[in-house]
Coordinates of all heavy atoms in Angstrom, one line a residue:
M28 N 28.1 12.6 0.0 CA 28.4 12.4 1.5 C 28.7 11.0 1.7 O 28.1 10.1 1.2 CB 27.2 12.9 2.3 CG 27.4 12.8 3.8 SD 25.9 13.3 4.8 CE 25.7 15.0 4.4
D29 N 29.8 10.8 2.4 CA 30.2 9.4 2.8 C 29.5 9.0 4.1 O 29.7 9.7 5.2 CB 31.7 9.2 3.0 CG 32.4 9.3 1.7 OD1 31.8 8.9 0.7 OD2 33.6 9.7 1.7
Y30 N 28.6 8.0 4.1 CA 27.8 7.7 5.2 C 28.6 6.7 6.1 O 29.4 5.9 5.7 CB 26.5 7.1 4.8 CG 25.6 8.1 4.2 CD1 25.4 8.2 2.8 CD2 24.9 9.0 5.0 CE1 24.6 9.2 2.3 CE2 24.0 10.0 4.5 CZ 23.9 10.0 3.1 OH 23.1 11.0 2.6
K31 N 28.2 6.7 7.4 CA 28.7 5.8 8.4 C 27.4 5.0 8.8 O 26.4 5.6 9.0 CB 29.3 6.4 9.6 CG 30.5 7.3 9.2 CD 30.9 8.2 10.3 CE 32.0 9.1 9.9 NZ 31.7 10.5 10.3
I32 N 27.6 3.7 9.0 CA 26.4 2.8 9.3 C 26.5 2.3 10.7 O 27.6 1.8 11.1 CB 26.4 1.7 8.3 CG1 26.5 2.1 6.9 CG2 25.1 0.9 8.5 CD1 25.4 2.9 6.3
V33 N 25.4 2.4 11.4 CA 25.3 1.7 12.7 C 24.2 0.7 12.6 O 23.1 1.0 12.3 CB 25.0 2.7 13.9 CG1 24.9 2.0 15.2 CG2 26.0 3.9 13.9
I34 N 24.6 -0.6 13.0 CA 23.6 -1.7 12.9 C 23.2 -2.1 14.3 O 24.1 -2.4 15.1 CB 24.2 -2.8 12.1 CG1 24.5 -2.4 10.6 CG2 23.2 -4.0 12.1 CD1 25.3 -3.4 9.8
D35 N 21.9 -2.1 14.5 CA 21.4 -2.6 15.8 C 20.6 -3.8 15.6 O 19.6 -3.9 14.8 CB 20.4 -1.5 16.3 CG 19.7 -1.9 17.6 OD1 20.3 -2.6 18.4 OD2 18.5 -1.5 17.7
A36 N 21.0 -4.9 16.3 CA 20.3 -6.2 16.3 C 19.2 -6.0 17.4 O 19.6 -6.0 18.6 CB 21.2 -7.3 16.5
G37 N 18.0 -5.9 17.0 CA 16.9 -5.7 18.0 C 16.8 -6.8 19.0 O 17.1 -8.0 18.8
H38 N 16.4 -6.4 20.3 CA 16.2 -7.4 21.4 C 17.6 -8.0 21.8 O 18.6 -7.5 21.6 CB 15.1 -8.4 21.0 CG 13.9 -7.8 20.6 ND1 12.9 -7.3 21.4 CD2 13.4 -7.6 19.3 CE1 11.9 -6.8 20.7 NE2 12.2 -6.9 19.4
G39 N 17.5 -9.2 22.3 CA 18.8 -9.9 22.8 C 18.7 -10.3 24.3 O 18.0 -9.6 25.1
G40 N 19.4 -11.3 24.6 CA 19.5 -11.8 26.0 C 18.2 -12.1 26.6 O 17.5 -13.0 26.0
D41 N 17.8 -11.4 27.7 CA 16.5 -11.7 28.3 C 15.3 -11.3 27.5 O 14.2 -11.5 27.9 CB 16.5 -11.0 29.7 CG 17.5 -11.6 30.7 OD1 18.0 -12.7 30.4 OD2 17.9 -10.9 31.6
D42 N 15.5 -10.5 26.5 CA 14.4 -10.0 25.7 C 14.4 -10.7 24.3 O 15.1 -10.3 23.4 CB 14.6 -8.5 25.5 CG 13.6 -7.9 24.5 OD1 12.6 -8.5 24.2 OD2 13.9 -6.7 24.1
P43 N 13.5 -11.7 24.1 CA 13.6 -12.5 22.9 C 12.9 -11.9 21.7 O 13.1 -12.2 20.6 CB 12.8 -13.8 23.3 CG 11.9 -13.4 24.4 CD 12.6 -12.3 25.1
G44 N 12.0 -10.9 22.0 CA 11.2 -10.3 20.9 C 10.1 -11.3 20.4 O 9.7 -12.1 21.3
A45 N 9.7 -11.2 19.2 CA 8.6 -12.1 18.7 C 9.2 -13.5 18.5 O 10.4 -13.7 18.4 CB 8.1 -11.5 17.4
S46 N 8.2 -14.5 18.4 CA 8.6 -15.8 18.1 C 7.5 -16.5 17.3 O 6.3 -16.2 17.5 CB 9.0 -16.6 19.3 OG 7.9 -16.7 20.2
G47 N 7.8 -17.5 16.5 CA 6.9 -18.2 15.7 C 7.6 -19.2 14.8 O 8.7 -18.9 14.4
N48 N 7.0 -20.4 14.6 CA 7.6 -21.4 13.7 C 9.0 -21.7 14.1 O 9.9 -22.0 13.3 CB 7.6 -20.9 12.2 CG 6.2 -20.6 11.8 OD1 5.3 -21.4 12.0 ND2 6.0 -19.5 11.1
G49 N 9.3 -21.8 15.4 CA 10.6 -22.2 15.9 C 11.7 -21.1 15.8 O 12.8 -21.4 16.0
I50 N 11.3 -19.9 15.3 CA 12.2 -18.8 15.1 C 12.0 -17.8 16.2 O 10.9 -17.4 16.5 CB 12.0 -18.2 13.8 CG1 12.3 -19.2 12.6 CG2 12.9 -16.9 13.6 CD1 11.9 -18.7 11.3
I51 N 13.1 -17.4 16.9 CA 13.1 -16.4 17.9 C 13.7 -15.1 17.3 O 14.8 -15.1 16.7 CB 13.9 -16.8 19.2 CG1 13.3 -18.1 19.7 CG2 13.9 -15.7 20.2 CD1 14.1 -18.7 20.8
E52 N 12.9 -14.0 17.4 CA 13.3 -12.8 16.7 C 14.8 -12.3 17.1 O 15.5 -12.0 16.2 CB 12.4 -11.7 17.1 CG 12.7 -10.4 16.3 CD 11.9 -9.2 16.8 OE1 10.9 -9.3 17.6 OE2 12.2 -8.1 16.3
K53 N 15.1 -12.4 18.3 CA 16.5 -11.9 18.7 C 17.6 -12.6 17.9 O 18.6 -12.0 17.6 CB 16.7 -12.0 20.2 CG 16.8 -13.4 20.7 CD 17.1 -13.5 22.2 CE 17.3 -14.9 22.7 NZ 17.8 -15.0 24.1
D54 N 17.4 -13.9 17.7 CA 18.4 -14.7 17.0 C 18.5 -14.4 15.6 O 19.6 -14.3 15.0 CB 18.1 -16.2 17.2 CG 18.2 -16.7 18.6 OD1 18.9 -16.1 19.4 OD2 17.5 -17.7 19.0
L55 N 17.3 -14.2 14.9 CA 17.3 -13.9 13.5 C 17.8 -12.4 13.3 O 18.6 -12.2 12.4 CB 15.9 -14.0 12.9 CG 15.8 -13.9 11.4 CD1 16.7 -14.9 10.7 CD2 14.3 -14.3 11.0
N56 N 17.5 -11.5 14.2 CA 18.0 -10.1 14.1 C 19.5 -10.1 14.2 O 20.2 -9.4 13.5 CB 17.4 -9.3 15.3 CG 15.9 -9.0 15.1 OD1 15.4 -9.1 14.1 ND2 15.3 -8.6 16.2
L57 N 20.0 -11.0 15.1 CA 21.5 -11.1 15.2 C 22.2 -11.6 14.0 O 23.2 -11.1 13.6 CB 21.8 -11.9 16.5 CG 23.3 -12.0 16.9 CD1 23.9 -10.6 17.2 CD2 23.5 -12.9 18.1
K58 N 21.6 -12.7 13.4 CA 22.2 -13.2 12.2 C 22.2 -12.2 11.1 O 23.2 -12.0 10.4 CB 21.3 -14.4 11.7 CG 21.8 -15.8 12.1 CD 21.0 -16.8 11.4 CE 21.5 -18.2 11.8 NZ 20.7 -19.3 11.2
I59 N 21.1 -11.5 10.9 CA 21.0 -10.5 9.8 C 22.0 -9.4 10.1 O 22.7 -8.9 9.2 CB 19.5 -9.9 9.8 CG1 18.5 -11.0 9.3 CG2 19.5 -8.7 8.9 CD1 17.1 -10.7 9.5
S60 N 22.0 -9.0 11.3 CA 22.9 -7.8 11.7 C 24.4 -8.2 11.5 O 25.2 -7.4 11.0 CB 22.6 -7.4 13.1 OG 21.3 -6.9 13.2
N61 N 24.8 -9.4 11.9 CA 26.2 -9.8 11.8 C 26.5 -9.9 10.3 O 27.6 -9.6 9.9 CB 26.5 -11.1 12.5 CG 26.7 -10.9 14.0 OD1 27.2 -9.8 14.4 ND2 26.3 -11.9 14.8
Y62 N 25.6 -10.4 9.5 CA 25.8 -10.5 8.0 C 26.0 -9.1 7.4 O 26.9 -8.9 6.7 CB 24.6 -11.2 7.3 CG 24.8 -11.2 5.8 CD1 25.5 -12.2 5.2 CD2 24.2 -10.2 5.1 CE1 25.7 -12.2 3.8 CE2 24.4 -10.2 3.7 CZ 25.2 -11.2 3.1 OH 25.4 -11.1 1.7
M63 N 25.1 -8.2 7.8 CA 25.2 -6.8 7.3 C 26.5 -6.2 7.7 O 27.2 -5.5 6.9 CB 24.0 -6.0 7.8 CG 22.7 -6.3 7.2 SD 21.3 -5.4 8.0 CE 21.6 -3.8 7.3
Y64 N 26.9 -6.4 8.9 CA 28.1 -5.8 9.5 C 29.3 -6.3 8.6 O 30.2 -5.5 8.2 CB 28.3 -6.2 10.9 CG 29.6 -5.7 11.5 CD1 29.8 -4.4 11.9 CD2 30.6 -6.6 11.8 CE1 31.0 -3.9 12.5 CE2 31.8 -6.2 12.4 CZ 32.0 -4.8 12.7 OH 33.2 -4.4 13.2
D65 N 29.4 -7.6 8.5 CA 30.5 -8.2 7.7 C 30.5 -7.7 6.2 O 31.6 -7.4 5.7 CB 30.4 -9.7 7.6 CG 30.7 -10.3 9.0 OD1 31.3 -9.7 9.8 OD2 30.3 -11.5 9.2
R66 N 29.3 -7.6 5.7 CA 29.2 -7.1 4.3 C 29.6 -5.7 4.1 O 30.4 -5.3 3.1 CB 27.8 -7.3 3.8 CG 27.6 -7.2 2.3 CD 28.3 -8.3 1.5 NE 28.2 -8.0 0.1 CZ 29.3 -7.8 -0.7 NH1 30.5 -7.9 -0.3 NH2 29.1 -7.5 -2.0
F67 N 29.2 -4.8 5.0 CA 29.6 -3.4 4.9 C 31.1 -3.3 5.1 O 31.8 -2.5 4.4 CB 28.9 -2.5 6.0 CG 27.5 -2.1 5.6 CD1 26.4 -2.5 6.3 CD2 27.3 -1.4 4.4 CE1 25.1 -2.1 6.0 CE2 26.0 -1.0 4.1 CZ 24.9 -1.4 4.8
R68 N 31.7 -4.1 6.0 CA 33.1 -4.0 6.2 C 33.8 -4.5 4.9 O 34.8 -3.8 4.5 CB 33.6 -4.9 7.3 CG 33.3 -4.3 8.7 CD 33.8 -5.2 9.8 NE 35.2 -5.5 9.7 CZ 36.2 -5.0 10.5 NH1 35.8 -4.1 11.4 NH2 37.4 -5.3 10.3
E69 N 33.3 -5.5 4.2 CA 33.9 -6.0 3.0 C 33.9 -4.9 1.9 O 34.8 -4.8 1.1 CB 33.1 -7.2 2.4 CG 33.4 -8.5 3.2 CD 32.5 -9.6 2.7 OE1 31.7 -9.4 1.8 OE2 32.5 -10.7 3.4
L70 N 32.9 -4.1 2.0 CA 32.7 -3.0 1.0 C 33.5 -1.8 1.3 O 33.5 -0.8 0.6 CB 31.2 -2.7 0.8 CG 30.3 -3.8 0.2 CD1 28.9 -3.4 0.3 CD2 30.7 -4.0 -1.3
G71 N 34.1 -1.8 2.5 CA 34.9 -0.7 2.9 C 34.1 0.5 3.5 O 34.6 1.7 3.5
I72 N 32.9 0.2 3.9 CA 32.0 1.3 4.4 C 32.1 1.3 5.9 O 32.0 0.2 6.5 CB 30.6 1.0 4.0 CG1 30.5 1.1 2.4 CG2 29.6 2.0 4.6 CD1 29.2 0.6 1.8
P73 N 32.4 2.5 6.5 CA 32.5 2.5 8.0 C 31.2 2.0 8.7 O 30.1 2.4 8.4 CB 32.7 4.0 8.3 CG 33.1 4.6 7.0 CD 32.5 3.8 5.9
V74 N 31.4 1.0 9.5 CA 30.2 0.4 10.2 C 30.5 -0.1 11.6 O 31.7 -0.5 11.9 CB 29.7 -0.8 9.3 CG1 30.8 -1.9 9.2 CG2 28.5 -1.4 9.9
K75 N 29.6 0.1 12.5 CA 29.7 -0.5 13.8 C 28.4 -1.2 14.1 O 27.3 -0.9 13.6 CB 29.9 0.7 14.8 CG 31.3 1.3 14.6 CD 31.8 2.1 15.7 CE 33.2 2.6 15.4 NZ 33.7 3.6 16.3
I76 N 28.5 -2.1 15.1 CA 27.3 -2.9 15.4 C 27.1 -2.8 16.9 O 28.0 -2.7 17.7 CB 27.6 -4.4 15.0 CG1 26.3 -5.2 15.1 CG2 28.7 -5.1 15.8 CD1 26.3 -6.5 14.3
I77 N 25.8 -2.7 17.3 CA 25.4 -2.5 18.7 C 25.6 -3.7 19.5 O 26.0 -3.6 20.7 CB 24.0 -2.0 18.7 CG1 23.8 -0.6 18.0 CG2 23.5 -1.8 20.2 CD1 24.8 0.4 18.4
R78 N 25.3 -4.9 19.0 CA 25.6 -6.1 19.7 C 25.9 -7.2 18.7 O 25.2 -7.2 17.6 CB 24.4 -6.5 20.6 CG 23.2 -7.0 19.9 CD 22.1 -7.6 20.9 NE 20.9 -8.0 20.2 CZ 20.7 -9.3 19.8 NH1 21.6 -10.2 20.1 NH2 19.6 -9.6 19.2
S79 N 26.9 -8.0 19.0 CA 27.3 -9.1 18.1 C 27.1 -10.4 18.7 O 27.5 -11.5 18.2 CB 28.7 -8.9 17.5 OG 29.6 -8.8 18.6
T80 N 26.6 -10.4 20.0 CA 26.3 -11.7 20.7 C 24.9 -11.5 21.3 O 24.2 -10.5 21.2 CB 27.3 -11.9 21.8 OG1 27.2 -10.8 22.7 CG2 28.7 -12.0 21.3
D81 N 24.4 -12.6 21.9 CA 23.1 -12.7 22.5 C 23.2 -12.0 23.9 O 23.4 -12.7 24.9 CB 22.6 -14.1 22.6 CG 21.2 -14.2 23.2 OD1 20.5 -13.2 23.1 OD2 20.9 -15.3 23.8
E82 N 23.1 -10.7 24.0 CA 23.2 -10.1 25.3 C 22.0 -9.1 25.5 O 21.4 -8.6 24.6 CB 24.5 -9.2 25.4 CG 24.6 -8.1 24.4 CD 25.8 -7.2 24.7 OE1 26.0 -6.8 25.8 OE2 26.4 -6.8 23.7
T83 N 21.7 -9.0 26.8 CA 20.6 -8.1 27.2 C 21.1 -6.6 27.2 O 22.2 -6.4 27.8 CB 20.1 -8.4 28.6 OG1 19.7 -9.8 28.7 CG2 18.9 -7.5 29.0
I84 N 20.4 -5.8 26.6 CA 20.8 -4.3 26.5 C 19.6 -3.5 26.9 O 18.5 -3.6 26.2 CB 21.3 -3.9 25.1 CG1 22.4 -4.8 24.6 CG2 21.7 -2.5 25.1 CD1 22.8 -4.6 23.2
S85 N 19.7 -2.7 27.9 CA 18.6 -1.8 28.3 C 18.4 -0.8 27.2 O 19.3 -0.5 26.4 CB 18.8 -1.1 29.6 OG 19.8 -0.1 29.4
P86 N 17.1 -0.2 27.1 CA 16.9 0.8 26.1 C 17.9 2.0 26.2 O 18.4 2.5 25.2 CB 15.5 1.3 26.4 CG 14.8 0.1 27.0 CD 15.9 -0.6 27.8
T87 N 18.2 2.4 27.4 CA 19.2 3.5 27.6 C 20.5 3.1 27.1 O 21.2 3.9 26.4 CB 19.2 3.9 29.1 OG1 17.9 4.2 29.5 CG2 20.2 5.1 29.3
E88 N 21.0 1.9 27.4 CA 22.3 1.5 27.0 C 22.3 1.4 25.5 O 23.4 1.7 24.8 CB 22.6 0.1 27.6 CG 23.9 -0.6 27.1 CD 25.2 0.2 27.5 OE1 25.1 1.0 28.5 OE2 26.2 -0.1 26.9
R89 N 21.2 0.9 24.9 CA 21.2 0.8 23.4 C 21.4 2.2 22.7 O 22.2 2.3 21.8 CB 19.9 0.1 23.0 CG 19.9 -0.4 21.6 CD 18.6 -1.2 21.3 NE 18.3 -2.3 22.1 CZ 18.7 -3.6 21.7 NH1 19.4 -3.8 20.6 NH2 18.5 -4.6 22.5
V90 N 20.7 3.1 23.2 CA 20.8 4.5 22.7 C 22.2 5.0 22.9 O 22.8 5.6 22.0 CB 19.8 5.5 23.3 CG1 20.1 6.9 22.9 CG2 18.4 5.1 22.9
D91 N 22.8 4.8 24.1 CA 24.2 5.2 24.4 C 25.2 4.6 23.4 O 26.1 5.3 22.9 CB 24.6 4.8 25.8 CG 23.9 5.7 26.8 OD1 23.4 6.8 26.4 OD2 24.0 5.4 28.0
R92 N 25.0 3.3 23.1 CA 25.9 2.6 22.1 C 25.7 3.2 20.7 O 26.7 3.3 20.0 CB 25.6 1.1 22.1 CG 26.0 0.4 23.4 CD 25.9 -1.1 23.3 NE 26.1 -1.7 24.6 CZ 26.2 -3.1 24.7 NH1 26.1 -3.8 23.7 NH2 26.4 -3.6 25.9
V93 N 24.5 3.5 20.3 CA 24.3 4.1 19.0 C 25.0 5.4 18.9 O 25.7 5.7 18.0 CB 22.8 4.3 18.7 CG1 22.6 5.2 17.5 CG2 22.1 2.9 18.5
L94 N 24.9 6.3 20.0 CA 25.5 7.6 19.9 C 27.0 7.5 20.1 O 27.7 8.3 19.5 CB 24.9 8.4 21.1 CG 23.5 8.8 20.9 CD1 22.9 9.5 22.1 CD2 23.3 9.7 19.7
D95 N 27.5 6.5 20.8 CA 29.0 6.3 21.0 C 29.6 5.8 19.7 O 30.8 6.0 19.5 CB 29.3 5.3 22.1 CG 29.0 5.9 23.5 OD1 28.9 7.1 23.6 OD2 29.0 5.1 24.4
A96 N 28.8 5.2 18.8 CA 29.4 4.6 17.6 C 30.1 5.6 16.7 O 31.3 5.6 16.5 CB 28.4 3.8 16.8
F97 N 29.3 6.6 16.2 CA 29.9 7.7 15.3 C 29.4 9.0 15.7 O 29.5 10.0 14.9 CB 29.5 7.4 13.9 CG 30.2 6.2 13.3 CD1 29.4 5.1 12.9 CD2 31.5 6.1 13.1 CE1 30.0 3.9 12.3 CE2 32.1 5.0 12.5 CZ 31.3 3.9 12.1
G98 N 28.8 9.2 16.9 CA 28.2 10.4 17.2 C 26.8 10.6 16.6 O 26.3 9.7 16.0
N99 N 26.3 11.8 16.6 CA 25.0 12.1 16.1 C 25.1 13.2 15.1 O 25.0 14.4 15.4 CB 24.0 12.6 17.3 CG 22.6 12.9 16.8 OD1 22.2 12.5 15.7 ND2 21.9 13.6 17.6
S100 N 25.2 12.8 13.8 CA 25.3 13.8 12.7 C 24.6 13.3 11.5 O 24.2 12.1 11.4 CB 26.8 14.1 12.4 OG 27.5 13.0 12.0
D101 N 24.5 14.1 10.5 CA 23.7 13.8 9.3 C 24.3 12.7 8.4 O 23.6 12.1 7.6 CB 23.6 15.1 8.4 CG 22.7 16.1 9.0 OD1 22.0 15.8 10.0 OD2 22.8 17.3 8.5
D102 N 25.6 12.4 8.7 CA 26.2 11.3 7.8 C 26.2 9.9 8.5 O 26.8 9.0 8.1 CB 27.6 11.7 7.5 CG 28.5 11.8 8.7 OD1 28.0 11.8 9.8 OD2 29.7 12.0 8.5
V103 N 25.4 9.8 9.6 CA 25.3 8.5 10.3 C 23.9 7.9 10.0 O 22.9 8.6 10.2 CB 25.4 8.7 11.8 CG1 25.3 7.4 12.5 CG2 26.8 9.3 12.1
V104 N 23.9 6.7 9.5 CA 22.6 6.0 9.3 C 22.5 4.8 10.3 O 23.5 4.0 10.4 CB 22.6 5.4 7.8 CG1 21.4 4.6 7.6 CG2 22.7 6.5 6.8
V105 N 21.4 4.8 11.0 CA 21.2 3.7 12.0 C 20.1 2.8 11.4 O 19.1 3.2 11.0 CB 20.7 4.3 13.3 CG1 20.4 3.2 14.3 CG2 21.7 5.3 13.9
V106 N 20.5 1.5 11.4 CA 19.6 0.4 10.9 C 19.3 -0.5 12.1 O 20.2 -1.1 12.6 CB 20.2 -0.4 9.8 CG1 19.3 -1.5 9.3 CG2 20.7 0.5 8.6
S107 N 18.0 -0.5 12.5 CA 17.6 -1.3 13.6 C 16.8 -2.5 13.1 O 15.7 -2.3 12.6 CB 16.8 -0.5 14.7 OG 16.5 -1.3 15.8
N108 N 17.4 -3.7 13.2 CA 16.7 -4.8 12.6 C 15.7 -5.4 13.5 O 16.0 -5.7 14.7 CB 17.7 -5.9 12.2 CG 18.5 -5.5 11.0 OD1 18.0 -5.1 10.0 ND2 19.8 -5.5 11.1
H109 N 14.4 -5.6 13.0 CA 13.4 -6.3 13.7 C 12.6 -7.1 12.8 O 12.5 -6.8 11.6 CB 12.4 -5.2 14.4 CG 13.0 -4.6 15.6 ND1 12.8 -5.0 16.9 CD2 13.9 -3.6 15.7 CE1 13.5 -4.3 17.7 NE2 14.2 -3.4 17.0
I110 N 12.0 -8.2 13.3 CA 11.2 -9.1 12.5 C 9.9 -9.3 13.3 O 9.9 -9.7 14.4 CB 11.9 -10.5 12.3 CG1 13.3 -10.3 11.7 CG2 11.0 -11.4 11.4 CD1 13.4 -9.9 10.3
N111 N 8.8 -9.1 12.6 CA 7.5 -9.4 13.3 C 7.1 -10.9 13.0 O 7.5 -11.5 12.0 CB 6.4 -8.5 12.8 CG 6.5 -7.1 13.3 OD1 7.1 -6.9 14.4 ND2 6.0 -6.1 12.6
A112 N 6.3 -11.4 13.9 CA 5.8 -12.8 13.8 C 4.7 -12.8 12.7 O 4.6 -13.8 11.9 CB 5.2 -13.3 15.1
G113 N 3.9 -11.8 12.5 CA 2.9 -11.7 11.5 C 1.8 -12.7 11.5 O 1.7 -13.5 12.5
G114 N 1.0 -12.8 10.5 CA -0.1 -13.7 10.5 C 0.2 -15.0 9.7 O 1.4 -15.1 9.3
V115 N -0.7 -15.8 9.6 CA -0.5 -17.1 8.9 C -1.5 -17.3 7.9 O -2.7 -17.2 8.1 CB -0.5 -18.3 9.9 CG1 -0.4 -19.6 9.2 CG2 0.6 -18.1 11.0
N116 N -1.1 -17.6 6.6 CA -2.0 -18.0 5.6 C -2.1 -19.5 5.6 O -1.1 -20.2 5.5 CB -1.5 -17.6 4.2 CG -1.7 -16.1 4.1 OD1 -2.6 -15.5 4.7 ND2 -0.9 -15.5 3.2
T117 N -3.4 -20.1 5.7 CA -3.5 -21.5 5.7 C -4.0 -22.1 4.4 O -4.3 -23.3 4.3 CB -4.5 -21.9 6.8 OG1 -5.7 -21.2 6.6 CG2 -3.9 -21.6 8.2
Y118 N -4.1 -21.2 3.4 CA -4.6 -21.7 2.0 C -3.5 -21.6 1.0 O -2.4 -21.0 1.3 CB -5.8 -20.9 1.6 CG -5.6 -19.4 1.6 CD1 -5.0 -18.8 0.4 CD2 -5.9 -18.6 2.7 CE1 -4.8 -17.4 0.4 CE2 -5.7 -17.3 2.7 CZ -5.2 -16.7 1.5 OH -4.9 -15.3 1.5
Ligands
ZN226 ZN1 11.5 -6.5 17.5

């Protein structure tokens, strides 16, 4: 089966997500997602991205964009990128 990829950069705009060590989740999610998008395109794999800039997207709008990308079928893979702040090891 030839898969189609939908990449979602979590958070964005007014919703920063987690933060720590000077890193804001929405920004790192966007970097990772844009990299993945470019790489899948280079490989000739059908791919769409939910947001490619720092924009606010409501949960409903996000789902609508996912469904608008390639529809809802078994050959669609959705990757939603998120990064947690996690704990800190001091030793
Ligand atoms: Zn997140």
